[in-house]
Amino acid sequence: MSERSKLMLFAVMAFGQFMALLDTQIVASSLNSIQAGLLAGPDEVAWIQTSYLMAEIVMIPLAAFLAKAMSTRWLFTTSAALFTVSSLACGLAWNIESMIVFRAIQGFVGGAMVPTVFATGFVLFQGPRRAMVPAVLGMVSTLAPTLGPTLGGWITEHASWRWMFFINIAPGLLIAIAVPILGKVDLANTRLFRRIDWLQVTGLALFLGALQYVLEEGPRAQWFDDPIIAVTAWLSFIGAVVFFERSIYSATPVVKLSPFRNPTFALACVLNFIIGVGLYSAIYLVPVFLGRVRDFTSLEIGTTVFVTGCFMFFAAPLAARMSTRVDPRYVITAGFLLFSLGVWMLTGITAEWGFGELLLPQAVRGFAVLLCIVPAVGLALSTPTPAELPYASGLFNVMRNLGGAVGIATVNTWLQDFTRIHALRISEAMGHGGADSNRVVSALASQLENNGNADAVLGAQAQVTAIVTRAAAVEAFRDVFMLLAGLFIVALVIVPFCKRPPLPAQASNASAPPSAEPAVAH
């Protein structure tokens, strides 16, 4: 395969990954519009996002087996084609039940495109060119979910929520046509389909799917106080036991955990989990603050958070260049410190913060993200053997998705608990204030009475309650941002234990392992 064909194939596959990751968050700012359009309840509409994430996280570790059985070329082509069809179906959905089913299919087939690109990039390129792979895919995997709510909100406001799905059709068809034309990456081994360990697959689906549901719905349902959450958690535990047992003892495991024998890969996965916690939590928290405290519209929120994506884009060339010249452990240390700084700057947040005040913290955080992800990818995927690389890619990507799910669930719980605690403290302080608090209520009641409000006292009390709740929410956001900043500082203790991989410039002088050669069809 010529160098030009390799670059074109990698670019097309990276764009497919971008589409799959974009759709994880594209509906986030438009759920109210979809709810109204499909006449759904608030609990039902949450499944539009949950079903996608549950299906996607199950497929990601399965993609390595399917790539070996079908070949990378035909797995990616099939995934892109089915992603396109399911996107069309989502846009044509006639009720909430059909939408949930189509979104689950979309997430499942889209999940195959995410890890496949990482493994393909590391197989196609050697030496300094390989440094481009984590930089490009790191930008794609962080930029796509960041832009999702912005793009979704803009499309919903200027067209219709259905067009969030219809826009996938043209590029999806292009990818499905281009990938098989551009060249082969490896050969299919269809005999693997006869040796599928269905018990392991079932355990994996139950383990990760149920876990994703618990993490997604837990904060809204008060965790294990809800019997459905408790039962689902037990199912996830049973699935985990079955999955790990079959992974260890099965003669033909569908998902191989052997890459975890390498300490550097295992530690890089832990770092990627923490990156997922920070990345997705921050993507979630800032829009929630702007909507809950500032009452911003979807478009205003999208415009504000777009800054993070811009600075991710600016950081990509620097991250790629540093990965060819600098020990990745130093780069990831700088990235974690900068990310912590960007989040710590948000601990000064007030109820008046908007675009201007959020600009610098988001710029620092956006710039830092690729300095975290690029070296983490290098640490993780430069050590596995070529035979293990597809499995390593799937496991590595699952860790970031799990980190995101755990992070969002955790910060949601923290926000609820801290808001309640701060509201009680503010109420107690107002109670101790006595006369001052009564004067404030009386003044508000008089103002409302002058405006013709019949229930002036009740109206004044409602206004005071709203002010207290808002102030408590701001304090809760400060606490959560402080804890996230601390997490990234603490995580730095892991970095020195990672083994330094050879720099791409050094690796290019060494001969490729013999087992790597058959992976590329010339």
Side-chain angles (χ1 to χ4, degrees), residues 131 134-136 138-139 316 319-320 323 328 331 369-379:
V136 171
M139 183 175 68
S323 63
V331 181
V369 164
L370 284 186
L371 298 182
C372 297
I373 289 181
V374 173
V377 174
L379 287 169

Side-chain angles (χ1 to χ4, degrees), residues 3 6-7 118-134 324 381-382 384-386 389 502-520 522:
E3 202 67 17
K6 290 180 183 180
L7 289 170
F118 279 93
T120 302
F122 272 74
V123 167
L124 289 178
F125 303 107
Q126 297 295 328
R129 277 196 180 276
R130 182 177 278 191
M132 168 192 68
V133 175
T324 64
L381 300 187
S382 61
T385 64
L389 189 58
L503 294 175
Q506 297 167 344
S508 63
N509 296 327
S511 58
S515 55
E517 194 62 34
V520 181
H522 297 282

Side-chain angles (χ1 to χ4, degrees), residues 142-155:
T142 52
L143 195 59
T146 304
L147 294 181
T150 306
L151 181 61
W154 186 87
I155 291 172

Side-chain angles (χ1 to χ4, degrees), residues 205-482:
L206 199 58
F207 167 38
L208 292 181
L211 178 61
Q212 181 72 46
Y213 174 80
V214 170
L215 294 172
E216 190 78 11
E217 301 297 324
R220 285 193 286 266
Q222 298 303 311
W223 291 102
F224 301 113
D225 292 340
D226 186 311
I228 296 177
I229 296 292
V231 170
T232 308
W234 270 110
L235 290 174
S236 177
F237 175 75
I238 293 168
V241 171
V242 172
F243 169 71
F244 286 113
E245 189 276 334
R246 299 312 300 154
S247 299
I248 296 169
Y249 296 109
S250 175
T252 56
V254 175
V255 178
K256 294 182 180 179
L257 302 181
S258 54
F260 282 116
R261 293 173 186 160
N262 186 305
T264 297
F265 174 79
L267 292 172
C269 283
V270 174
L271 290 171
N272 202 35
F273 179 89
I274 295 167
I275 291 168
V277 171
L279 172 65
Y280 287 97
S281 296
I283 289 173
Y284 171 80
L285 284 170
V286 174
V288 168
F289 168 81
L290 293 172
R292 188 178 297 176
V293 177
R294 293 301 312 275
D295 293 322
F296 275 27
T297 65
S298 297
L299 194 58
E300 289 173 326
I301 291 172
T303 304
T304 305
V305 301
F306 186 71
V307 171
T308 306
C310 291
F311 278 85
M312 288 178 191
F313 185 80
F314 296 147
L318 175 64
R321 189 171 182 81
M322 289 180 70
S323 63
T324 64
R325 298 171 180 269
V326 182
D327 186 333
R329 295 173 298 181
Y330 297 151
V331 181
I332 202 168
T333 299
F336 270 53
L337 288 172
L338 274 177
F339 193 97
S340 180
L341 174 63
V343 176
W344 178 81
M345 292 168 74
L346 292 169
T347 58
I349 202 165
T350 69
E352 286 72 42
W353 275 36
F355 180 88
E357 294 81 3
L358 290 169
L359 177 61
L360 184 58
Q362 290 196 108
V364 173
R365 179 165 53 83
F367 191 84
V369 164
L370 284 186
L371 298 182
C372 297
I373 289 181
V374 173
V377 174
L379 287 169
L381 300 187
S382 61
T383 51
T385 64
E388 289 182 333
L389 189 58
Y391 296 101
S393 177
L395 295 169
F396 182 75
N397 280 279
V398 160
M399 293 302 290
R400 185 166 65 244
N401 280 35
L402 278 178
V406 170
I408 291 174
T410 303
V411 299
N412 244 329
T413 303
W414 284 345
L415 274 180
Q416 292 175 9
D417 293 344
F418 293 161
T419 300
R420 187 164 53 248
I421 291 168
H422 284 296
L424 287 172
R425 288 176 179 171
I426 294 171
S427 298
E428 287 174 5
M430 291 178 66
H432 291 310
D436 291 337
S437 301
N438 291 332
R439 275 197 296 271
V440 171
V441 174
S442 298
L444 286 171
S446 299
Q447 186 178 356
L448 291 171
E449 194 171 11
N450 292 336
N451 292 334
N453 193 318
D455 297 321
V457 175
L458 290 175
Q461 290 174 343
Q463 284 192 17
V464 170
T465 300
I467 292 169
V468 170
T469 303
R470 190 183 187 206
V474 172
E475 292 296 324
F477 276 102
R478 288 179 179 174
D479 292 343
V480 173
F481 285 129
M482 180 69 75

Side-chain angles (χ1 to χ4, degrees), residues 57-69:
I57 203 168
V58 171
M59 169 54 91
I60 287 175
L62 292 176
F65 174 84
L66 293 174
K68 286 182 175 294

